[in-house]
Amino acid sequence: MTSRPAGTLAQRKRQLVADELTQAALGLLARGGFDAVTVDEIAAAAGVSKRTFFRYFASKEDVVVQFLTGLGEAMREELASRPAPEPPSTALRHTVWRSIDACAGQTERTLRVVQLILGTPALLARFLERQAQWREELAAVLAGRLGLDPATELYPRMAAGMALTAFHTVLQRWSESDGTEDPAALTGGCFAVIAPALDAVAGE
Amino acid sequence: MTSRPAGTLAQRKRQLVADELTQAALGLLARGGFDAVTVDEIAAAAGVSKRTFFRYFASKEDVVVQFLTGLGEAMREELASRPAPEPPSTALRHTVWRSIDACAGQTERTLRVVQLILGTPALLARFLERQAQWREELAAVLAGRLGLDPATELYPRMAAGMALTAFHTVLQRWSESDGTEDPAALTGGCFAVIAPALDAVAGE
DNA sequence: TCATACTTGACACTCGATGACACGTCGGGC
DNA sequence: GCCCGACGTGTCATCGAGTGTCAAGTATGA
């Protein structure tokens, strides 16, 4: 609603303030850690008041986690656009890869943000909470793809959960290695592990 | 350290206060929701001061989530005690079942707590954060079991993640059905989905 | 030029969380 | 008996996150 890069009216200056806030927050939080920096300081660094900060971000965690926002949307879109005959493991691998690539392909700043999130309990909690939402959304799309009832079948939620476990694991390894390890290889490796379950024929 | 049922000294009255606090908190939070009840009210209901509440629980979330504490420890123990030749899917199924059984086998109060956690963003976040810790612990045990290096192999983390996805899914379905669905059947169903991946022969 | 809507800052307030200090009780030693 | 230190608790003070309110300020349109 407010995140389109090509803003409509002069209120793309809203995006400008948001960017300034994000910039200031990421800079301050990267050094000093999450708890050592107050919202007042972030706001001051961006040249606005604390009250304005909370008009742009729902919480102090939000300014960091929202840096990864759009990933959920992107994954849902990607999964929905994969050709129907494609096996689930392939479709989900591309789905996850779209987010991983968006993360790992960018600046080195992204690496620091990921490290910050995975290393800060409060941020990790928020991140996982968001992942849980993504899981429900991906499960719904997947159920539609396969003509399964998400309310009764276990497969959609489990498959989405496995894919996000892969997502989480890749980010972990990538951040632990300081960006050394190849995200593509890690993604491939993770999906090699879960593929037998994702593509198992019906069964039961 | 302080959770042994058979307390040593007269300071098992500490456990008494803790129980009183937990009782009061769960009762108040079940009706009214998480945000509508203040720590002051919980403390007052237990007959202590707000300050004392925080001497027993690290946070307001803690008093609820700690209700499920011990599950991580229990799972780690269970996995460590499973016979070595057992296939991973079987060992992990018993591991998860030990926690599920501890949850679902108890009073109906447990169901309400699970519903409260899964339905409250702040509590869900804390719960997922704890699950992430369990995942690392289970991965370490699993790696030891299979003689794999957890720092390089992807399998342990992925397998632990899949098992916890099953755990989460079972709790979700169980709480959504108001305790109607059979936890044992759900656990079996979830592991039927992931077993092909858990037991896939080496590969590469 | 005036009226309107929107954004912002300043202030006050609630509540979660922590530190400092004072008080009471318990228990043991002289 | 008294004194003493350890421990748990309550009170008070404080910080920081988050929210509601109101009074500016600015842009837009008639």
Side-chain angles (χ1 to χ4, degrees), chain B residues 64-133:
Chain B
V64 182
V65 175
Q66 203 174 82
F67 192 70
L68 300 182
T69 278
L71 296 189
E73 177 92 8
M75 283 198 283
R76 201 171 59 247
E77 281 177 9
E78 181 72 24
L79 181 58
S81 73
R82 300 303 307 178
E86 207 171 42
S89 72
T90 305
L92 286 172
R93 181 162 47 83
H94 283 100
T95 298
V96 169
W97 173 247
R98 169 135 164 198
S99 284
I100 295 286
D101 192 33
C103 278
Q106 272 187 344
T107 38
E108 175 217 358
R109 171 179 291 268
T110 311
L111 174 60
R112 295 215 202 94
V113 174
V114 172
Q115 288 176 331
L116 181 66
I117 292 176
L118 296 184
T120 306
L123 291 174
L124 177 62
R126 294 289 169 183
F127 177 60
L128 293 174
E129 183 193 345
R130 202 160 280 222
Q131 253 185 261
Q133 296 175 5

Side-chain angles (χ1 to χ4, degrees), chain A residues 18-84:
Chain A
D19 289 343
E20 191 70 20
L21 243 3
T22 302
Q23 196 80 358
L26 263 39
L28 289 177
L29 295 178
R31 80 189 80 265
F34 185 75
D35 295 324
V37 181
T38 69
V39 173
D40 275 289
E41 293 171 331
I42 297 173
V48 299
S49 71
K50 182 181 84 168
R51 195 64 186 85
T52 295
F53 175 92
F54 285 107
R55 288 194 177 101
Y56 284 81
F57 300 98
S59 68
K60 188 181 168 186
E61 289 94 20
D62 205 38
V63 71
V64 182
V65 176
Q66 203 172 83
F67 193 69
L68 300 181
T69 279
L71 296 189
E73 177 92 8
M75 285 198 284
R76 200 170 61 248
E77 281 177 9
E78 181 70 24
L79 181 57
S81 72
R82 300 305 305 178

Side-chain angles (χ1 to χ4, degrees), chain A residues 141-163:
Chain A
V141 175
L142 202 56
R145 236 179 105 88
L146 302 174
L148 299 174
D149 180 8
T152 62
E153 296 285 339
L154 290 169
Y155 177 85
R157 271 188 187 167
M158 290 299 300
M162 285 187 273

